[in-house]
Amino acid sequence: MKIKKTTIATFTIVATMLFGVTGCNNVKMVADEAVNAEATTQEVNLKTLTGSTVVGRTTNDKLELIDSLIDKNFYFEEDEQAKQDGMIKGYVESLNDPYSVYYTKEEYADFMESTEGEYVGVGVQVSQSVETKVITVVKVFDGPALEAGIEAEDVITHVNGEDISDQEIDAVVDKIKGEEGTEVTITVYRASDGKDHDFTMPRRKVENPTVQYKMLDDNIGYVEVSSFYEVTGQQFKKAVEDLEQQGMEGLIVDLRGNGGGLLDVAVDMLDYLLPAGKIVYTADKDGNILSESNSTDDEQFTKPLAVLVNGYSASASEIFAGAVKDYEIGTLVGTNTFGKGIVQRMFPLNDGSAIKLTIAKYFTPKGNDIHKIGIKPDIEVELDTEAYKESKGEKDNQLQAAIDNVLEKMGKK
């Protein structure tokens, strides 16, 4: 399937556009959920900045003084590379944008690993609140965490006995990940019983099952999409085609807890569902259009459709949900989405490190800016978490509301 893309402005250096959610108040896999999209790979070459004003004379003199004091007085052994990395991280953090990040060589390698849909970890997807920095488990996949007993909505308080309450999600994720076969102990607070729980489990390769599907009663197809990875588009199409062969009369796409991923994949999936027209476009701080993605008229889904969303549905999920809503080809059911309508680009540096910067906003087909606003569902339904947990997912009032909506469109209700 061909995706029509019109690039109206380009950048001389860089490369990778990011639509996944990263940084504070984000949803992440362990490793990072936000992954590359619309990539044109080009490294930024490092060079010596002669006479640069990046670090002023006063600041440079202060750094040299501090370095001298450390050399003469610091008790413990210092790590020169860690000091250099720390200075660069602090420089980027001064932008006060949780989505702009400096990655060391090792961190960038880990980041790129996550695009393949497989990583070494424990199998949890987590989110961090901007206001409180609380890190909450959003989903538990088949793997060590599930086997140990970790549950969705658990709040992570310690990793290997270390209090992580004031740490950023990237740092916590790095502590949870590690060498395959080693163990990690995660302490969580569980609101349902008001107690702390310790779980020790081995790290191992965990595959994120990005698409799972089944046929519900009344020939309603159900497809859950947990993230937008390279394999997701084909998995989604195969799922829908299989359900079609089984006699599907209506479809529910579940994007709850989906923190985003590859833009190309989301666009490809939407091209499979939408009529010809605009899917998403991006604009820089001056209002210049940077890129635009459009669907063709080759394929279109015309059966009753509902899309489930919640506060953890972010970024590429919101592109998907926003397009479905703007084209009115389906009904959004659930709660307001996350509200991440900004775009990052990854600048790989030639020493193996990288910097990720926010460079634009994206807009829905009708031009809606959803950043820090989110997308309001057509049918608002709060999940009855108590009933959901007690029934181990069998009693899902949001899903039932989506089923009722599809049944009504099918003329069966």
Side-chain angles (χ1 to χ4, degrees):
M1 182 186 304
K2 294 182 179 178
I3 307 295
K4 296 179 182 176
K5 293 182 183 169
T6 307
T7 301
I8 301 179
T10 59
F11 291 90
T12 53
I13 10 183
V14 228
T16 308
M17 190 176 291
L18 304 172
F19 278 77
V21 188
T22 57
C24 298
N25 204 17
N26 63 348
V27 179
K28 302 184 58 137
M29 283 295 298
V30 181
D32 201 318
E33 163 114 319
V35 287
N36 340 358
E38 286 194 62
T40 55
T41 56
Q42 183 176 353
E43 292 180 340
V44 180
N45 291 318
L46 298 172
K47 62 180 180 179
T48 302
L49 298 175
T50 306
S52 170
T53 57
V54 172
V55 179
R57 180 176 294 278
T58 301
T59 300
N60 186 71
D61 290 346
K62 184 183 288 188
L63 283 171
E64 288 184 351
L65 175 59
I66 291 171
D67 192 52
S68 175
L69 290 170
I70 290 171
D71 287 342
K72 293 177 181 178
N73 300 286
F74 186 58
Y75 182 85
F76 299 104
E77 184 177 352
E78 55 187 292
D79 184 329
E80 188 59 37
Q81 186 59 52
K83 287 197 298 182
Q84 299 296 321
D85 288 335
M87 283 191 287
I88 299 171
K89 281 181 179 289
Y91 191 77
V92 177
E93 286 172 5
S94 71
L95 297 173
N96 199 29
D97 173 24
Y99 303 104
S100 295
V101 181
Y102 168 72
Y103 293 94
T104 65
K105 180 179 180 179
E106 293 74 19
E107 290 168 344
Y108 183 52
D110 288 343
F111 176 88
M112 296 305 293
E113 175 192 17
S114 70
T115 69
E116 299 171 0
E118 186 179 78
Y119 61 95
V120 176
V122 298
V124 294
Q125 184 174 330
V126 296
S127 168
Q128 184 174 45
S129 165
V130 166
E131 294 80 14
T132 65
K133 288 196 174 181
V134 168
I135 295 178
T136 305
V137 176
V138 177
K139 281 187 179 181
V140 186
F141 297 100
D142 188 18
L146 181 64
E147 295 161 8
I150 289 181
E151 300 177 359
E153 302 299 329
D154 283 347
V155 174
I156 299 177
T157 61
H158 294 75
V159 177
N160 288 330
E162 180 184 353
D163 184 354
I164 54 86
S165 58
D166 62 344
Q167 297 184 23
E168 299 295 342
I169 196 168
D170 289 316
V172 176
V173 165
D174 287 341
K175 296 179 194 301
I176 294 173
K177 291 167 54 187
E179 186 177 345
E180 187 172 8
T182 59
E183 289 191 338
V184 60
T185 298
I186 299 176
T187 303
V188 304
Y189 172 76
R190 186 166 292 167
S192 60
D193 61 14
K195 296 180 181 178
D196 292 325
H197 300 265
D198 291 329
F199 298 98
T200 300
M201 65 210 84
R203 299 178 175 100
R204 67 170 185 257
K205 283 188 177 180
V206 178
E207 183 178 348
N208 176 11
T210 63
V211 174
Q212 299 185 80
Y213 70 99
K214 60 185 176 181
M215 184 71 83
L216 305 177
D217 293 339
D218 297 301
N219 290 328
I220 297 176
Y222 171 84
V223 181
E224 180 184 15
V225 183
S226 62
S227 55
F228 295 92
Y229 284 161
E230 292 177 358
V231 297
T232 307
Q234 287 303 314
Q235 289 179 356
F236 177 77
K237 292 173 191 175
K238 287 180 180 178
V240 174
E241 289 168 0
D242 187 21
L243 290 167
E244 292 269 24
Q245 291 176 1
Q246 295 180 45
M248 177 177 67
E249 297 177 42
L251 174 64
I252 295 171
V253 178
D254 192 344
L255 298 180
R256 291 176 296 179
N258 184 328
L262 293 167
L263 170 65
D264 280 354
V265 173
V267 166
D268 188 38
M269 291 163 63
L270 285 165
D271 187 23
Y272 183 64
L273 301 175
L274 297 175
K278 188 181 297 181
I279 294 176
V280 65
Y281 67 94
T282 65
D284 65 16
K285 60 184 178 182
D286 297 319
N288 299 313
I289 304 298
L290 301 181
S291 65
E292 182 179 304
S293 297
N294 297 281
S295 61
T296 67
D297 57 1
D298 296 341
E299 295 167 300
Q300 182 181 352
F301 188 81
T302 56
K303 292 177 178 171
L305 171 68
V307 178
L308 284 163
V309 293
N310 64 7
Y312 297 119
S313 303
S315 206
S317 287
E318 292 174 293
I319 290 172
F320 190 103
V324 168
K325 185 169 186 176
D326 282 4
Y327 278 92
E328 299 180 355
I329 68 162
T331 303
L332 302 190
V333 180
T335 55
N336 208 76
T337 63
F338 181 87
K340 181 178 182 288
I342 51 178
V343 183
Q344 284 71 47
R345 280 203 175 205
M346 185 69 81
F347 295 75
L349 308 179
N350 65 351
D351 66 344
S353 62
I355 182 172
K356 176 172 54 128
L357 295 175
T358 298
I359 54 92
K361 275 188 175 181
Y362 71 76
F363 299 84
T364 71
K366 288 186 176 181
N368 295 319
D369 176 2
I370 60 93
H371 190 57
K372 294 185 177 180
I373 299 170
I375 300 172
K376 184 178 179 180
D378 302 298
I379 301 174
E380 294 187 77
V381 183
E382 289 282 348
L383 179 66
D384 186 339
T385 54
E386 187 174 338
Y388 185 87
K389 285 184 177 180
E390 287 180 356
S391 67
K392 296 184 178 179
E394 291 298 318
K395 292 183 179 179
D396 185 339
N397 61 315
Q398 289 180 327
L399 175 58
Q400 187 57 54
I403 291 172
D404 291 342
N405 175 261
V406 172
L407 284 173
E408 187 175 342
K409 293 175 183 175
M410 291 164 55
K412 294 186 176 182
K413 188 176 178 65

